[in-house]
Amino acid sequence: MSGAVMALNTVGACVVLFATLSVSAAKPEGVLTLFQTNTEEVQHVPMKYDSKNTVPKWLEGTLPNCNRRKYDRAVDFLVLKVRNAPALFELGGRSAIHVFDGFAKLHSVEIGPHLVNFSAAFLDSSAYTRSKKANLYAPAITFFGVDPPFSELERLDAFRYPYDNTDVNVWKYGHGEDSVYAALTDGWVYAKFDSDTLATIGVSIPSVSGIKMGHVVQSCAHPIVEPGTTHNINYIQIPGMIPGQKQDHYVLRIKDLDTYEVLASFQTDRASYMHSFALTENYAIFFAQPAYFDMIKIVETAMVSIDWVPEDKTTIILANIKTGETHVQRLQTDAIFFTHHVNAYETADGTIVADVVQFEEGFAIFADFKLPQLRNITSLHGKSAKSRLYRYTIDLANKTVQTKTFRSKSPMEDFLHKIEFPIINENYRTKHYCYVYGVILDFSPSSPLNGSFALVKKDLCTPGNDLYWYHPNHYVSEPSFVADPDGKAEDDGVLLSAVFDAELGKSYLLILDCKTMKAINTAYMPTYIPFGFHGRFFGKDWPV
């Protein structure tokens, strides 16, 4: 199987085809499988590479926490990519309404020099285990509710349990033999799992010394590795439950899931939904957008209720992680709903550059991921890419913010700016960088890719030097960048992505050369990974 690699000159609209395509008869409704329940759980099912192309030897590493004494096969499997995805939506006559509320399932691919294998297992969260025991989607706090809905008593019962359906991301905490792997969501909760078997070890809601936590504590599913360390930076928000009460935020250094250090703190008037944040050498940067949690509605409905108030401004908060709470600066900019920060860095002239993926239509974008719409081919084909890359230049001395929108007049060129799930070479975190990689989520047959997804390599330093990879009726997912340890250039490395083949109804591992965006190899999994959000590559040098 081959894919297409294209370079697009955004000035002259010149498209150059570098690789030919192998195209089979299209099955346009095959994509609907992405949004169906998949209950298959397997361990260490062998996969094989589809070509004789050599996988780079530097991709080899040490499989973390693999219990080598228990599994001789671990000697041959050297690195691990784990992807989190909601995979069970219906249980006992009750169904989730939104993809966010499917029960979390982990999928891993162990990658060796000659072989690969695949595992999949559900996370034994409170929400999942109670539902399986009752053979019914049990009472729990959800994002968009269930059908048929919970009764009033069930909604009250939901608050007895943590919001622990951690179906968004995965992360590693600590270092060496004491490392802990955990699945994450946007709440302050960690579902720990064994990286070899994917078995759930337990659900943890850690306490932090000096911080009084209530029943509801928001965090984000995108911690950031503190450059040059094995520590992570994240934040928690303690929402005020009384109208008019301030919202307390704490920026944390997480050394492991038992050891925390408060680096800075600040308050806001209302509780903003912030799925990610940015980090520079000196600052943790938060875009407190006017997407506000409605605590009263949350209590009444047992659903995550968020009000989008676009007439308010977005407040950019810069918390100095070196000096703490007395050095918090605030600036304002126009309100645009964001999901993912890409990267941020400080310049020699004292300004800060922050790149962010945003949605001009606001919080309403989340309604696009309701299951009835995703499972209907007509409505699915009406969903075009709505994300867009923005760059903010923050001048702290003059208290100004300049905004650059990445936009082109030609639709063929413009789609390159519509990336989501952005990732970078982590060696360039907090530094000046040129390349961001992301996915174009566009189901529309009238799109430049006829409704297929693409992996994009966007060059922020040289306009017209963007590349992308795609294959008709194949649907890529968020990639992982694995840097060549001997590489000199920022794009020396490979991308790993789980791709859904809508013709065969299976997913496969795609290994791309980051420099050329050409496929190095692929390997099919025994099943498919449902539509999800994030994953992570863990190798011997993680997190360096």
Side-chain angles (χ1 to χ4, degrees), residues 37-254:
T37 286
N38 184 347
T39 59
E40 189 172 359
E41 297 181 277
V42 297
Q43 273 198 12
H44 312 312
V45 175
M47 302 158 57
K48 64 178 182 178
Y49 289 120
D50 296 313
S51 79
K52 295 182 180 180
N53 295 342
T54 302
V55 174
K57 291 189 68 64
W58 49 261
L59 191 58
E60 301 173 8
T62 300
L63 179 63
N65 194 30
C66 66
N67 299 317
R68 287 179 181 269
R69 288 175 294 178
K70 291 171 61 179
Y71 297 100
D72 290 338
R73 53 137 206 107
V75 174
D76 295 322
F77 296 99
L78 301 170
V79 292
L80 183 72
K81 178 173 171 62
V82 181
R83 182 158 179 79
N84 198 344
L88 175 61
F89 303 101
E90 304 88 10
L91 196 59
R94 179 177 279 162
S95 173
I97 293 173
H98 196 281
V99 70
F100 288 176
D101 294 317
F103 291 113
K105 186 179 177 184
L106 299 179
H107 310 79
S108 72
V109 176
E110 294 171 326
I111 306 169
H114 305 294
L115 297 172
V116 285
N117 72 30
F118 176 81
S119 298
F122 281 96
L123 276 171
D124 289 332
S125 63
S126 165
Y128 176 75
T129 54
R130 289 185 293 110
S131 297
K132 290 291 286 186
K133 183 177 180 180
N135 193 32
L136 181 70
Y137 199 123
I141 299 172
T142 64
F143 224 94
F144 278 84
V146 292
D147 183 25
F150 295 133
S151 68
E152 184 175 350
L153 287 177
E154 286 176 316
R155 292 196 299 272
L156 290 173
D157 191 41
F159 287 94
R160 294 174 52 203
Y161 308 99
Y163 182 49
D164 67 352
N165 183 28
T166 51
D167 62 352
V168 180
N169 205 358
V170 290
W171 211 257
K172 175 186 172 183
Y173 296 90
H175 187 62
E177 294 182 357
D178 296 326
S179 298
V180 173
Y181 296 82
L184 310 178
T185 185
D186 285 328
W188 183 244
V189 60
Y190 299 89
K192 303 173 186 177
F193 64 91
D194 183 282
S195 62
D196 177 56
T197 65
L198 302 184
T200 305
I201 297 173
V203 176
S204 171
I205 303 177
S207 60
V208 179
S209 177
I211 299 178
K212 184 178 180 181
M213 297 189 184
H215 187 74
V216 179
V217 181
Q218 191 212 348
S219 185
C220 87
H222 292 281
I224 298 175
V225 176
E226 187 174 10
T229 76
T230 58
H231 303 152
N232 293 275
I233 306 296
N234 206 342
Y235 82 96
I236 55 175
Q237 177 187 143
I238 314 296
M241 303 302 290
I242 302 173
Q245 187 177 8
K246 296 284 188 178
Q247 323 299 314
D248 293 319
H249 300 73
Y250 300 90
V251 183
L252 303 178
R253 173 181 288 130
I254 305 174

Side-chain angles (χ1 to χ4, degrees), residues 305-339:
S305 179
I306 295 177
D307 296 327
W308 176 242
V309 188
E311 56 268 27
D312 286 1
K313 296 281 189 178
T314 289
T315 300
I316 301 175
I317 300 170
L318 299 99
N320 193 312
I321 59 176
K322 300 291 179 65
T323 58
E325 61 182 330
T326 59
H327 291 76
V328 174
Q329 302 198 48
R330 301 168 189 261
L331 301 92
Q332 288 194 323
T333 188
D334 290 338
I336 304 176
F337 183 74
F338 85 93
T339 50

Side-chain angles (χ1 to χ4, degrees), residues 5 13 91 163 190 201 255 273 377 406 419 441 465 524 528:
V5 182
L91 196 59
Y163 182 49
Y190 299 89
I201 297 173
K255 296 182 177 180
Y273 172 72
I377 194 65
F406 286 83
I419 62 172
L441 299 175
N465 200 37
Y524 272 84
Y528 68 94

